[in-house]
Short mmCIF file of all heavy atoms in Angstrom, two decimals:
data_model
loop_
_atom_site.label_atom_id
_atom_site.label_comp_id
_atom_site.label_asym_id
_atom_site.label_seq_id
_atom_site.Cartn_x
_atom_site.Cartn_y
_atom_site.Cartn_z
N LEU O 109 8.64 -1.01 -31.21
CA LEU O 109 7.84 -2.18 -31.01
C LEU O 109 8.06 -2.95 -29.63
O LEU O 109 7.15 -3.39 -29.06
CB LEU O 109 8.01 -3.22 -32.17
CG LEU O 109 7.60 -2.67 -33.54
CD1 LEU O 109 7.98 -3.70 -34.58
CD2 LEU O 109 6.13 -2.39 -33.54
N GLU O 110 9.26 -2.96 -29.25
CA GLU O 110 9.65 -3.58 -27.97
C GLU O 110 9.09 -2.96 -26.75
O GLU O 110 9.26 -3.54 -25.68
CB GLU O 110 11.10 -3.89 -27.95
CG GLU O 110 12.05 -2.68 -27.91
CD GLU O 110 12.60 -2.33 -29.34
OE1 GLU O 110 11.94 -2.67 -30.33
OE2 GLU O 110 13.65 -1.70 -29.35
N ASP O 111 8.65 -1.74 -26.97
CA ASP O 111 8.05 -1.04 -25.70
C ASP O 111 6.61 -1.64 -25.45
O ASP O 111 5.98 -1.18 -24.45
CB ASP O 111 7.88 0.47 -26.11
CG ASP O 111 9.24 1.07 -26.16
OD1 ASP O 111 10.28 0.62 -25.64
OD2 ASP O 111 9.42 2.04 -26.92
N SER O 112 6.09 -2.45 -26.38
CA SER O 112 4.80 -3.11 -26.01
C SER O 112 4.86 -3.85 -24.75
O SER O 112 5.62 -4.87 -24.65
CB SER O 112 4.34 -3.93 -27.17
OG SER O 112 3.97 -3.13 -28.30
N ALA O 113 3.94 -3.56 -23.81
CA ALA O 113 4.07 -4.18 -22.43
C ALA O 113 2.97 -3.59 -21.52
O ALA O 113 2.23 -2.57 -21.98
CB ALA O 113 5.41 -3.90 -21.77
N VAL O 114 2.94 -4.06 -20.39
CA VAL O 114 1.98 -3.47 -19.41
C VAL O 114 2.93 -2.72 -18.41
O VAL O 114 3.91 -3.25 -17.90
CB VAL O 114 1.16 -4.41 -18.53
CG1 VAL O 114 0.22 -3.72 -17.58
CG2 VAL O 114 0.32 -5.25 -19.60
N TYR O 115 2.57 -1.44 -18.26
CA TYR O 115 3.48 -0.59 -17.34
C TYR O 115 2.70 -0.32 -16.06
O TYR O 115 1.41 0.09 -16.12
CB TYR O 115 3.67 0.85 -18.12
CG TYR O 115 4.60 0.57 -19.23
CD1 TYR O 115 4.22 0.16 -20.49
CD2 TYR O 115 6.01 0.75 -19.06
CE1 TYR O 115 5.11 -0.02 -21.54
CE2 TYR O 115 6.94 0.58 -20.04
CZ TYR O 115 6.38 0.15 -21.33
OH TYR O 115 7.27 -0.15 -22.38
N PHE O 116 3.34 -0.58 -14.93
CA PHE O 116 2.55 -0.49 -13.64
C PHE O 116 3.23 0.68 -12.89
O PHE O 116 4.50 0.83 -12.92
CB PHE O 116 2.74 -1.81 -12.78
CG PHE O 116 2.08 -2.85 -13.35
CD1 PHE O 116 2.62 -3.82 -14.18
CD2 PHE O 116 0.65 -3.09 -13.03
CE1 PHE O 116 2.08 -4.85 -14.76
CE2 PHE O 116 0.08 -4.18 -13.59
CZ PHE O 116 0.65 -5.08 -14.35
N CYS O 117 2.46 1.56 -12.41
CA CYS O 117 3.00 2.63 -11.57
C CYS O 117 2.80 2.30 -10.07
O CYS O 117 1.75 1.57 -9.85
CB CYS O 117 2.02 3.88 -11.89
SG CYS O 117 2.36 5.33 -10.73
N ALA O 118 3.57 2.72 -9.27
CA ALA O 118 3.52 2.51 -7.89
C ALA O 118 3.80 3.71 -7.03
O ALA O 118 4.63 4.54 -7.48
CB ALA O 118 4.25 1.26 -7.45
N SER O 119 3.43 3.74 -5.77
CA SER O 119 3.76 4.73 -4.89
C SER O 119 3.89 4.35 -3.48
O SER O 119 3.16 3.43 -3.03
CB SER O 119 2.80 6.03 -5.05
OG SER O 119 1.52 5.81 -4.51
N SER O 120 4.66 5.16 -2.68
CA SER O 120 4.66 4.77 -1.27
C SER O 120 5.14 6.11 -0.47
O SER O 120 5.65 7.11 -1.08
CB SER O 120 5.72 3.72 -0.90
OG SER O 120 7.00 4.18 -1.02
N THR O 121 4.91 6.00 0.83
CA THR O 121 5.47 7.12 1.68
C THR O 121 7.01 7.02 1.81
O THR O 121 7.56 7.96 2.21
CB THR O 121 4.80 7.04 3.14
OG1 THR O 121 5.20 5.84 3.69
CG2 THR O 121 3.38 7.14 2.97
N GLY O 122 7.59 5.86 1.53
CA GLY O 122 9.00 5.73 1.66
C GLY O 122 9.56 5.46 3.06
O GLY O 122 10.83 5.27 3.12
#
Side-chain angles (χ1 to χ4, degrees):
Chain O
L109 294 177
E110 61 265 26
D111 297 330
S112 295
V114 180
Y115 291 84
F116 294 95
C117 174
S119 70
S120 76
T121 60

